Amino acid sequence: MKLLLALLLALSFAYAYEDDISPEEAYEMQKAKKAIIVDVRTTLEFLYTGHGEGFINIPAYYWTYVPKSIETRVKSAEYEISNAMVKDHKSTLNLYDAKEVINKDFVKDIMKAMKLQGVDSVILVCRSGPRSKAAADILEKEGITAYNLEGGFIKGWKEDKMPWNGE
């Protein structure tokens, strides 16, 4: 993930997205059908940490998880039982090799969603801002008018008490 973020942030200096906009501005643009709001977080983040009203999930990248050998996983389970370590999820994370995969259809999917909604701009959101800023830069490079949601979903949308599926 660090490599992807570094690459996306490096690209962000070469191209500039339109601007950061407030959650209130984003909501008004969405309601007026001037823009769609696209959540670039992973599907699991979108599903399990919540999302704003009308957000379209188009992840900028995906994660794949390949389990280590069954012997390793059995040994870990035995260790948890003998040491009462079920609350320590860090040992569980070591049971999988995680690999990030860039969504090769990201730009195409954004363009299709915009066409289906009849809009000519997109507002991007992630958890706190860096991924959506980088994604906005990628879209600007492709000639798409893109905005970044100030503060992301957590410190922007939710803290400003905008409508979301958790409340």
Side-chain angles (χ1 to χ4, degrees):
M1 182 166 157
K2 289 179 185 177
L3 176 63
L4 175 65
L5 285 175
L7 176 64
L8 290 175
L9 288 174
L11 288 173
S12 70
F13 292 112
Y15 303 94
Y17 58 89
E18 282 294 312
D19 208 355
D20 283 356
I21 62 172
S22 72
E24 293 82 9
E25 290 172 299
Y27 188 64
E28 291 303 317
M29 288 177 72
Q30 178 194 47
K31 289 294 183 190
K33 299 208 180 280
K34 292 182 179 177
I36 57 172
I37 302 177
V38 171
D39 192 323
V40 302
R41 296 176 298 159
T42 66
T43 304
L44 289 176
E45 288 175 284
F46 183 79
L47 293 173
Y48 293 109
T49 62
H51 58 273
E53 180 180 281
F55 284 17
I56 301 166
N57 183 225
I58 304 175
Y61 66 91
Y62 302 94
W63 285 97
T64 61
Y65 299 92
V66 178
K68 294 193 176 169
S69 73
I70 191 64
E71 291 84 5
T72 300
R73 289 178 278 149
V74 167
K75 186 186 250 185
S76 175
E78 290 171 349
Y79 178 81
E80 284 181 357
I81 291 169
S82 65
N83 293 291
M85 296 292 292
V86 74
K87 292 182 182 180
D88 178 20
H89 74 284
K90 291 178 184 175
S91 63
T92 305
L93 295 175
N94 294 329
L95 298 176
Y96 299 88
D97 289 320
K99 179 183 174 188
E100 61 188 11
V101 180
I102 294 174
N103 180 358
K104 64 180 176 50
D105 295 325
F106 180 69
V107 174
K108 181 180 78 171
D109 288 347
I110 295 281
M111 292 173 74
K112 187 171 186 177
M114 290 172 63
K115 183 177 180 182
L116 288 168
Q117 292 291 309
V119 300
D120 59 2
S121 59
V122 59
I123 302 159
L124 299 172
V125 60
C126 66
R127 180 185 172 279
S128 58
R131 287 179 285 175
S132 52
K133 280 184 182 182
D137 287 335
I138 290 168
L139 295 178
E140 280 291 320
K141 180 182 174 187
E142 297 295 324
I144 298 169
T145 302
Y147 301 89
N148 179 60
L149 184 73
E150 194 175 84
F153 178 65
I154 302 296
K155 296 218 177 256
W157 196 266
K158 282 177 68 176
E159 280 191 9
D160 283 6
K161 301 192 182 339
M162 304 305 293
W164 67 290
N165 70 330
E167 287 185 0

